[in-house]
Amino acid sequence: QLSQNSQASSPTITHSEFRSNSAGSGGAIYNHGLEGSSSPALVNTIFYANSANTGGAVYNNGSDGDSSPSFRQVTFAANSAMTGGALYLLEAGSPQLTNTLLWGNTASAGGAQLYLAAGAASPQPAIQFSIVQGGESGSNRAAAPIAALSTRH
């Protein structure tokens, strides 16, 4: 698990895989903009089979600061939590998901793919050109992803 990312830290994580991690919140990443700005950028990354009570893969907390993570070409699959199987967003600034796949995640109490915690500062995340199981509006698909099989060796 990436330890608590807080205050003025906005790392860029590319070409990575977070697999089979577990924690109380944020099975792979716990991000908090506590009294500062903490907005990591994740690019071409896989979150697979992570688990937590909240935020099976990622727990993002924007209270008492700014936290606006961006996810580009990221896959969230087989993650699990009580709430927010893949992502748990609490008072997040402006999270962005682009060309991202959220599929096959589970949450026993709600938000299998994405959970937006109630709060005065909880805007909807910007989700574009993504596949989200259960659906999202706009330029997104709710249909199952199709992987092409090649006969070439």
Side-chain angles (χ1 to χ4, degrees):
Q1 179 190 22
L2 181 65
S3 63
Q4 182 173 343
N5 181 41
S6 64
Q7 294 184 341
S9 176
S10 297
T12 298
I13 300 170
T14 61
H15 306 287
S16 300
E17 181 174 336
F18 294 88
R19 178 185 290 260
S20 301
N21 298 289
S22 63
S25 294
I29 294 177
Y30 181 98
N31 185 57
H32 191 180
L34 180 64
E35 298 179 7
S37 178
S38 179
S39 300
L42 292 103
V43 181
N44 209 3
T45 298
I46 297 170
F47 291 90
Y48 182 80
N50 299 289
S51 62
N53 291 330
T54 54
V58 176
Y59 181 97
N60 189 74
N61 186 344
S63 65
D64 301 321
D66 178 46
S67 183
S68 301
S70 66
F71 303 92
R72 192 174 79 233
Q73 298 170 337
V74 174
T75 298
F76 293 92
N79 299 289
S80 62
M82 288 177 45
T83 52
L87 291 168
Y88 184 95
L89 303 174
L90 172 65
E91 296 186 18
S94 302
Q96 298 179 8
L97 290 84
T98 306
N99 292 330
T100 293
L101 172 65
L102 291 106
W103 202 271
N105 301 289
T106 59
S108 58
Q113 309 312 317
L114 176 68
Y115 185 85
L116 298 173
S122 292
Q124 290 284 88
I127 303 174
Q128 299 178 333
F129 310 111
S130 297
I131 299 175
V132 181
Q133 185 176 12
E136 276 295 326
S137 60
S139 58
N140 304 296
R141 295 180 43 124
I146 300 171
L149 298 177
S150 173
T151 57
R152 299 173 73 189
H153 299 286

